[in-house]
Amino acid sequence: MSALTARQRIGWGVITVLVLVYALFPVASIVATSFKLPSQLNTGTFLPETWSGTNYESILAPSGAAQELFLSALRNSVGISLIATAIAVVLATLAAYAIARLDFPGKKLILTTALAVSIFPVISIVTPLFNLWRAIGLYDTWPGLIIPYLSLTLPISIWTLAAFFRQIPWELEQAAQVDGATTWQAFRKAIVPLAAPGVFTTALIAFFIAWNDFVYGISLTSTSAARPVPAALAFFTGASQFESPTGAISAAAVVVTVPVVILVLLFQRQIVAGLTQGAVKG
């Protein structure tokens, strides 16, 4: 493959810069808004005239107007997302292993069903799920969100992990069994360590999906007992009915985005390696 000419390199550089500006401009705008005073929100300037941490104090300080609403929602988001991710990864690992290694009737049907569930409109099942959860007592509870979150995280987890397990040589497991290992021991000690990059990548993707959900969070909760952060942001209010909570919402958005950005930056090599390994058939 021939090297790029100087003009081509410049062209690709310009395209890269434009894409980065397009992608990062909304983020920069939210960060700048989070440091603005309420009186500066409608001035039309991009950067705040006076940098202030008032919005962060309102959601984090003990005396903040939105502190109780935000911190309780943050705890709910962390707990629910971690539990949903852990359950999804464990179930998906077992299901993907069976799909990749075993021949049984209906294997393609399972994968097709998982794909259909992942693309099914969430909003279409919220109303019946709302009525069902109210009837059986799961409304406004952690399990009432964890179970629906599995419908979001399990399909993509199964598809991703099935691709990883197909790349692992079947002979390694057979060799472990020849050496006296049981099927479970061969799976746990020979297969799972080799699939660790894929499991880790899948866990991050599943966590991000659960972390960012809004529809289930706003529809299946009514109090701070289980309401996650994306839903809680809709209940932020200003100091008065005439004041917009835009600054507080922007500050909360920055706070909940920072952990995700840190995770991606810390584990970007594992994520890229995992996605690449699962996408290329050896």
Side-chain angles (χ1 to χ4, degrees):
M1 184 176 182
S2 60
L4 295 177
T5 64
R7 178 176 296 181
Q8 289 174 328
R9 287 196 297 268
I10 294 175
W12 281 112
V14 171
I15 293 174
T16 301
V17 171
L18 291 176
V19 171
L20 288 175
V21 171
Y22 176 80
L24 296 179
F25 180 79
V27 178
S29 177
I30 292 174
V31 174
T33 302
S34 70
F35 287 100
K36 290 182 178 180
L37 293 170
S39 58
Q40 301 174 0
L41 293 176
N42 298 319
T43 58
T45 59
F46 181 80
L47 295 176
E49 299 173 1
T50 303
W51 294 78
S52 172
T54 302
N55 295 315
Y56 290 93
E57 293 176 0
S58 68
I59 64 173
L60 298 175
S63 58
Q67 181 264 351
E68 183 176 354
L69 176 64
F70 176 73
L71 290 185
S72 62
L74 187 60
R75 288 192 295 268
N76 292 334
S77 282
V78 172
I80 293 172
S81 298
L82 286 177
I83 294 174
T85 298
I87 296 175
V89 169
V90 171
L91 295 179
T93 300
L94 299 176
Y97 171 79
I99 291 172
R101 293 300 196 212
L102 306 178
D103 290 324
F104 57 89
K107 182 167 69 171
K108 292 184 178 180
L109 179 62
I110 293 176
L111 284 174
T112 304
T113 303
L115 181 61
V117 170
S118 65
I119 64 177
F120 198 80
V122 174
I123 193 65
S124 63
I125 63 174
V126 165
T127 299
L129 197 60
F130 171 85
N131 295 329
L132 177 62
W133 266 205
R134 289 289 296 270
I136 64 178
L138 287 179
Y139 180 75
D140 201 25
T141 64
W142 278 30
L145 285 180
I146 292 172
I147 295 173
Y149 282 1
L150 292 178
S151 68
L152 301 176
T153 57
L154 260 178
I156 185 64
S157 299
I158 291 174
W159 271 85
T160 305
L161 285 175
F164 284 102
F165 282 120
R166 292 192 185 100
Q167 311 308 314
I168 299 175
W170 179 246
E171 292 77 11
L172 294 176
E173 186 175 8
Q174 292 177 328
Q177 293 176 345
V178 170
D179 291 337
T182 63
T183 302
W184 170 248
Q185 290 174 333
F187 170 74
R188 182 169 55 89
K189 296 182 178 180
I191 302 301
V192 171
L194 294 176
V199 173
F200 184 80
T201 302
T202 302
L204 284 178
I205 296 174
F207 179 81
F208 294 159
I209 293 174
W211 181 263
N212 292 323
D213 171 73
F214 174 78
V215 176
Y216 284 136
I218 196 71
S219 305
L220 302 180
T221 61
S222 59
T223 67
S224 60
R227 182 181 292 137
V229 168
L233 296 183
F235 294 89
F236 277 26
T237 59
S240 67
Q241 60 178 331
F242 304 105
E243 183 177 306
S244 172
T246 305
I249 293 176
S250 299
V254 171
V255 171
V256 299
T257 303
V258 167
V260 176
V261 173
I262 292 176
L263 285 175
V264 173
L265 292 178
L266 289 178
F267 303 108
Q268 58 181 329
R269 289 186 179 180
Q270 290 85 343
I271 295 174
V272 173
L275 291 175
T276 304
Q277 179 182 349
V280 179
K281 185 170 182 61

